[in-house]
Amino acid sequence: MMTQNTDKKREQIQMFCMDDLVPQDHLLRLIDRAIDWSFIYDLVEEKYCSDNGRPSIDPVVLIKIPFIQYLYGIKSMRQTIKDIEVNVAYRWFLGLEMYDPVPHFSTFGKNYTRRFKDTDLFEQIFSKILEDCYKWKFVDPTEIFVDSTHVKARANNKKMRKRIAQEEALFYEELLKKEINEDRNAHGKKDLKEKDSDDDDSNTGGGSGTKEIKTSTTDPDSGWFHKGEHKQVFAYSVETACDKNGWVVAYTVSPGNEHDSRTFKGLFDKIEDIGTKTIIADAGYKTPAIAKLLIDKEIKPLFPYKSPMTKEGFFKKYEYVYDEYYDCYICPNNQILRYSTTNRDGYKEYKSCKHICEKCPYLSQCTESKEHIKVVTRHIWEEYMEECEDIRHTLGMKELYKQRKETIERLFGTAKEHHGFRYTQMYGKARMEMKVGLTYACLNLKKLAKMLQRKGIIGTPFNSFSFGFAAT
């Protein structure tokens, strides 16, 4: 017999408890039990007046609202508030009763502008949750995976202007300049002259210069990200470090047009003292400066193999053998390429004798120089790159590098697919840092709650609600 009573219960008056409406294994219930949210009061206490003004919205409720947004990947604060109005679990998480009014969607934005702007509040929230993860000994910082992903900015690709920008100095610029001059002096050459900044149009890696860049008129803090032939957008680059279990341990936010090797130092400063033994990164980080930075700090850098960028039909660089004792290169025809100079980028140049090369049978496979001179370069920190290659061939390192797809790449995929990390609806780097901090805090908190549930430390479906008595 078919039942037809859809509308009969809509106007019935019922007595219920809010706590009974939320399943014991609901994610928000697990998250609420995983940490003590009262730590937020200590972080924001100085932002509120203790004896003047109208009573404010509870700071914990205020912070939990964007947590709901990023936890469930809701696209906007306006939609988040609409969902809270009708979702019992959201109301329970915020401590609201069924008839309590939900804060206006502009409430968080106004509080951010008046109280939290230009503060590190959201980074502190991320750090506090990460600290709890450390306390439970879930995080293993000995092996750290590093990579970056791009988040599309809220900027129209057609609304831009070109401007001349001053490039920031590289983190290793002064050290590189010093060692270049030491190397030149050791070879009987003078120090390099200082570059005239007025004549510099570009930066080739040895220092800071100027260049013409595209700047968004709607979000000037973002950067023009160009990958491949089709993907050209204004974006932010989010550089992230996680352990082998997928816990986010640090992050930085930069304009999308800055290369990973340039922004790495900012991220490394945050993870330098957490006990890291090995850092695993992709080929974008495989530079002499980063290799030297890590090895000097007694941290193993694990980089992938990078194929030589050589024209087809020409000898590869590894076919030119370096003689460390005589400081020269030997070509495939057993001829010597002698030291010539050390350039501003830190590369020592070794040149062949043109009178020998013009008669060489392998000339067409060696160089296209009109003067028949072959030049091979070697960075002054090349020995660090060679040590990286030795590390790469160490037993177990190949399997360790393969874990990137299970750690950092899976982390980015989860954030983009389920937590609204493909693009941002906010303007400016400061708000982007807030979004990243809260998103990663949500990822760690969700993982923490599920780990604690799995170990039986926090509630399960078989606690008090299921049988009507308190869990023992």
Side-chain angles (χ1 to χ4, degrees):
M1 183 173 63
M2 184 169 58
T3 303
Q4 298 182 0
N5 59 356
T6 305
D7 302 331
K8 291 181 179 180
K9 298 181 181 180
R10 286 182 176 177
E11 298 181 0
Q12 288 184 4
I13 298 176
Q14 298 181 10
M15 183 178 295
F16 59 87
C17 174
M18 282 286 293
D19 195 62
D20 292 344
L21 298 179
V22 183
Q24 292 293 320
D25 61 345
H26 194 280
L27 178 60
L28 289 179
R29 186 184 285 275
L30 299 178
I31 285 176
D32 194 64
R33 292 174 176 172
I35 64 169
D36 181 5
W37 290 90
S38 62
F39 78 91
I40 292 176
Y41 295 124
D42 297 330
L43 297 181
V44 302
E45 184 177 5
E46 62 180 13
K47 304 299 180 183
Y48 292 83
C49 182
S50 59
D51 57 0
N52 194 14
R54 294 178 298 172
S56 71
I57 182 175
D58 188 330
V60 173
V61 175
L62 189 65
I63 297 301
K64 280 184 174 181
I65 290 175
F67 257 93
I68 291 175
Q69 178 182 353
Y70 296 122
L71 189 64
Y72 289 97
I74 304 173
K75 65 179 182 180
S76 67
M77 182 59 69
R78 188 190 296 260
Q79 184 60 46
T80 303
I81 297 301
K82 288 182 178 179
D83 289 351
I84 292 172
E85 290 175 348
V86 298
N87 193 306
V88 176
Y90 292 175
R91 282 180 171 271
W92 177 92
F93 184 63
L94 298 176
L96 300 177
E97 295 181 359
M98 291 298 293
Y99 293 103
D100 284 344
V102 179
H104 193 263
F105 69 83
S106 64
T107 303
F108 179 79
K110 292 296 183 182
N111 275 271
Y112 173 85
T113 303
R114 296 169 183 170
R115 289 192 172 96
F116 309 142
K117 189 178 180 180
D118 300 324
T119 69
D120 61 346
L121 170 65
F122 302 101
E123 187 171 359
Q124 290 185 61
I125 293 174
F126 168 81
S127 299
K128 176 60 175 64
I129 295 173
L130 180 62
E131 182 182 336
D132 286 355
C133 299
Y134 270 105
K135 286 180 180 178
W136 289 107
K137 298 182 179 180
F138 291 146
V139 183
D140 183 3
T142 55
E143 297 167 349
I144 294 297
F145 296 81
V146 173
D147 202 356
S148 69
T149 188
H150 286 85
V151 180
K152 186 180 181 301
R154 188 180 182 182
N156 191 327
N157 294 343
K158 297 181 180 179
K159 292 184 178 181
M160 69 174 75
R161 62 184 177 87
K162 294 184 178 180
R163 67 180 179 90
I164 303 298
Q166 183 75 23
E167 285 192 335
E168 294 184 5
L170 299 170
F171 68 86
Y172 56 89
E173 181 177 353
E174 292 302 322
L175 178 60
L176 179 64
K177 187 185 301 182
K178 176 184 176 182
E179 296 203 16
I180 287 173
N181 289 329
E182 289 177 355
D183 186 76
R184 291 176 63 86
N185 294 336
H187 287 89
K189 292 184 176 292
K190 297 180 180 180
D191 291 354
L192 286 172
K193 294 181 179 180
E194 294 293 331
K195 296 173 69 176
D196 186 356
S197 59
D198 294 334
D199 297 334
D200 291 336
D201 294 328
S202 62
N203 177 25
T204 58
S208 57
T210 59
K211 64 176 183 179
E212 186 179 71
I213 63 172
K214 295 177 180 179
T215 304
S216 170
T217 56
T218 52
D219 187 0
D221 290 346
S222 62
W224 184 248
F225 172 56
H226 188 180
K227 185 175 183 180
E229 299 180 358
H230 306 291
K231 195 173 184 179
Q232 300 183 38
V233 295
F234 285 107
Y236 287 97
S237 175
V238 181
E239 201 161 18
T240 309
C242 76
D243 76 339
K244 63 181 180 181
N245 298 314
W247 299 94
V248 182
V249 297
Y251 65 90
T252 58
V253 178
S254 309
N257 57 347
E258 292 190 8
H259 194 268
D260 296 346
S261 60
R262 277 182 165 270
T263 58
F264 174 76
K265 184 60 166 60
L267 182 68
F268 177 73
D269 290 341
K270 294 184 177 183
I271 61 176
E272 180 179 355
D273 300 322
I274 63 175
T276 303
K277 301 298 181 183
T278 307
I279 287 183
I280 303 95
D282 62 15
Y285 296 90
K286 194 175 183 179
T287 65
I290 292 179
K292 175 179 172 57
L293 173 67
L294 297 180
I295 293 173
D296 286 349
K297 297 288 185 179
E298 297 183 350
I299 298 175
K300 291 182 181 179
L302 178 56
F303 302 129
Y305 171 75
K306 192 174 181 180
S307 58
M309 307 280 291
T310 309
K311 287 185 178 180
E312 187 176 353
F314 285 81
F315 290 127
K316 303 292 190 297
K317 185 177 179 179
Y318 59 76
E319 297 183 74
Y320 297 83
V321 180
Y322 179 66
D323 189 319
E324 186 176 0
Y325 183 82
Y326 291 103
D327 189 24
C328 66
Y329 272 91
I330 302 174
C331 76
N333 197 31
N334 293 323
Q335 300 299 324
I336 296 176
L337 284 74
R338 302 185 187 279
Y339 173 85
S340 174
T341 186
T342 304
N343 61 31
R344 293 184 183 276
D345 298 334
Y347 286 92
K348 295 188 285 187
E349 298 179 1
Y350 297 83
K351 295 183 179 180
S352 64
C353 176
K354 65 178 182 180
H355 301 296
I356 297 177
C357 288
E358 63 184 3
K359 301 176 183 178
C360 179
Y362 304 115
L363 179 62
S364 60
Q365 297 175 259
C366 187
T367 179
E368 294 178 328
S369 170
K370 293 181 180 179
E371 298 179 352
H372 308 304
I373 297 176
K374 174 65 179 179
V375 180
V376 177
T377 59
R378 179 182 176 86
H379 201 277
I380 59 174
W381 295 333
E382 189 67 27
E383 61 270 17
Y384 292 96
M385 297 295 287
E386 292 171 351
E387 187 170 345
C388 289
E389 285 299 295
D390 293 339
I391 293 171
R392 184 173 69 85
H393 288 96
T394 305
L395 185 66
M397 288 300 171
K398 183 177 181 181
E399 290 72 21
L400 179 59
Y401 185 81
K402 287 181 179 180
Q403 292 181 23
R404 287 185 71 255
K405 63 179 179 293
E406 302 168 2
T407 53
I408 191 73
E409 291 180 4
R410 177 180 291 176
L411 178 71
F412 289 151
T414 301
K416 288 177 180 289
E417 190 70 21
H418 301 293
H419 301 278
F421 214 56
R422 295 189 185 278
Y423 58 87
T424 177
Q425 294 284 359
M426 301 178 181
Y427 296 114
K429 181 180 177 182
R431 289 179 180 265
M432 184 62 198
E433 288 175 340
M434 178 199 74
K435 174 184 174 71
V436 175
L438 288 178
T439 302
Y440 283 157
C442 286
L443 287 171
N444 282 347
L445 187 53
K446 182 172 69 171
K447 196 178 184 71
L448 175 64
K450 291 184 176 181
M451 288 291 290
L452 294 177
Q453 182 197 27
R454 190 177 303 167
K455 291 180 176 291
I457 299 172
I458 61 176
T460 66
F462 302 101
N463 279 0
S464 58
F465 174 67
S466 297
F467 298 104
F469 54 85
T472 58

